[in-house]
Amino acid sequence: MQKPEQTRREQLRLALTQGYEIGRRATALGRVADYIPELAKADPGAFGISILDLSGEALSLGDAEVRFSMQSISKVILLALALQRRGETETFSHVMMEPSGDAFNSILKLDTRSNLPFNPMINAGAIETTSLLVGDVTFADLLAYTRRLCLDPDISLDTAMYNSEFQTGHRNRAIGYLLKSKGVMEADPEQTVDLYFRMCSLSVTAKSLAGLGLVLANGGKDPFTGESLIQSDHVRIIKSILFTCGMYDYSGQYGVRVGVPSKSGVGGGIVCAAKGPLGIGLYGPALDAFGNSCGAIHAMTHISRALRLHVFDY
């Protein structure tokens, strides 16, 4: 007779295998981002998934250990550290927690409806969140924290990606100066945006993202040492914002169809913090019109249904 943990492991493996095949085929539906020149070099057919649970043994398929830039997934880490250093009240006096309904790099509502960015998962919100850390933490501090949260000591700065971001990131600089002009940003815009570019340029893998997902799914604790890396009340805030705002302006549909707190990045990554607890990391640089990985969206739709991971499944 099989032990329950063996049965669960087999369920995970089957869902992973099926989800991987579905996602791999779906890569043909998208195209890699090219507004940052370095991103355009990615292989549009690349695809990988990694699932990590409390056993510590990752289940992975495909390009799960290929390194790529974190991009907007770094917003999760910036928010976690801002909450740790500034607290909930101070942090959310600078940025709201509402879905924007606009593209991730839009400034329309920032200049027409509110001085505050709508949430920390769009560029304006993440840049403002980053400004709360300038002068308090260094990039080295953020890199060390990212390595701990992702359970990956090999994360480093992709210098080529950073240079590409730095040379082409004029819209993000404009966001920084707009926030400064409105009296929302207290820090220097150039220092803030530079730190933001560096965080977006961190080199991770699908397995790294599975580690981050597992830490979030495990209440902010390192699943193997028990060390608290994010306060549990801050994890609740982060996962709530990921559920409502984490997938750009596809977040509503993703919430209905997948129902797992997740964050995507235009580098092709998606991090998922699922019930179990499970951390799921996916990589597929072929993106849909919203900036989300086509392969990862299709794979997670299947995996969530197969394993009943939707937050409203019972």
Side-chain angles (χ1 to χ4, degrees):
M1 184 175 179
Q2 287 185 321
K3 295 180 180 179
E5 58 268 24
Q6 291 176 319
T7 302
R8 181 59 171 171
R9 198 76 175 163
E10 289 177 1
Q11 291 173 339
L12 290 175
R13 196 179 301 277
L14 178 60
L16 169 66
T17 301
Q18 293 174 338
Y20 171 77
E21 288 302 325
I22 291 169
R24 185 180 59 80
R25 291 194 297 269
T27 61
L29 302 174
R31 57 190 298 268
V32 299
D34 57 8
Y35 69 95
I36 299 171
E38 196 67 20
L39 288 177
K41 298 178 181 179
D43 175 6
F47 188 64
I49 309 177
S50 187
I51 299 178
L52 186 62
D53 63 12
L54 295 179
S55 74
E57 181 184 350
L59 295 174
S60 303
L61 281 177
D63 299 308
E65 298 200 37
V66 170
R67 293 214 169 256
F68 58 95
S69 61
M70 202 172 204
Q71 297 298 326
S72 284
I73 297 171
S74 64
K75 295 169 181 174
V76 179
I77 293 161
L78 291 165
L79 177 58
L81 198 55
L83 287 168
Q84 180 189 115
R85 295 299 182 105
R86 293 292 195 108
E88 177 183 353
T89 301
E90 175 67 12
T91 298
F92 290 106
S93 70
H94 288 262
V95 59
M96 297 188 289
M97 52 180 80
E98 301 297 333
S100 71
D102 293 322
F104 63 91
N105 60 354
S106 174
I107 61 172
L108 289 174
K109 288 176 180 166
L110 184 62
D111 208 28
T112 58
R113 287 184 52 188
S114 171
N115 286 334
L116 300 184
F118 265 58
N119 65 73
M121 297 300 131
I122 57 175
N123 287 16
I127 289 168
E128 180 58 26
T129 303
T130 304
S131 78
L132 300 178
L133 300 172
V134 171
D136 187 33
V137 300
T138 64
F139 171 66
D141 295 328
L142 278 164
L143 175 58
Y145 190 50
T146 302
R147 288 170 171 170
R148 292 170 67 202
L149 288 182
C150 293
L151 311 177
D152 180 359
D154 295 324
I155 292 172
S156 62
L157 178 69
D158 181 335
T159 305
M161 184 63 67
Y162 165 71
N163 289 335
S164 193
E165 295 253 9
F166 186 86
Q167 291 164 10
T168 61
H170 308 304
R171 189 177 186 87
N172 286 325
R173 289 190 181 88
I175 289 171
Y177 278 103
L178 181 58
L179 290 167
K180 185 71 172 180
S181 74
K182 289 175 173 289
V184 176
M185 181 181 289
E186 298 169 358
D188 176 71
E190 290 291 344
Q191 288 182 291
T192 297
V193 174
D194 184 72
L195 186 56
Y196 175 71
F197 288 155
R198 289 176 184 275
M199 288 298 293
C200 288
S201 302
L202 292 182
S203 182
V204 296
T205 67
K207 191 172 179 180
S208 311
L209 299 184
L212 174 59
L214 184 57
V215 168
L216 291 170
N218 196 45
K221 292 182 180 179
D222 183 310
F224 311 121
T225 68
E227 180 187 3
S228 178
L229 301 176
I230 310 174
Q231 290 178 212
S232 59
D233 55 335
H234 293 167
V235 173
R236 184 184 65 226
I237 292 168
I238 293 166
K239 287 167 66 176
S240 297
I241 291 174
L242 294 187
F243 191 87
T244 57
C245 308
M247 302 297 290
Y248 304 132
D249 42 339
Y250 185 73
S251 296
Q253 293 184 63
Y254 187 88
V256 171
R257 294 172 180 169
V258 178
V260 175
S262 303
K263 183 71 193 87
S264 61
V266 293
I270 295 184
V271 58
C272 309
K275 294 186 293 188
L278 292 175
I280 305 175
L282 306 98
Y283 168 59
L287 309 180
D288 62 18
F290 300 101
N292 299 313
S293 168
C294 287
I297 293 285
H298 281 75
M300 273 306 299
T301 301
H302 173 80
I303 291 169
S304 177
R305 289 174 180 169
L307 298 175
R308 298 190 61 78
L309 298 180
H310 197 295
V311 295
F312 299 124
D313 281 338
Y314 55 89

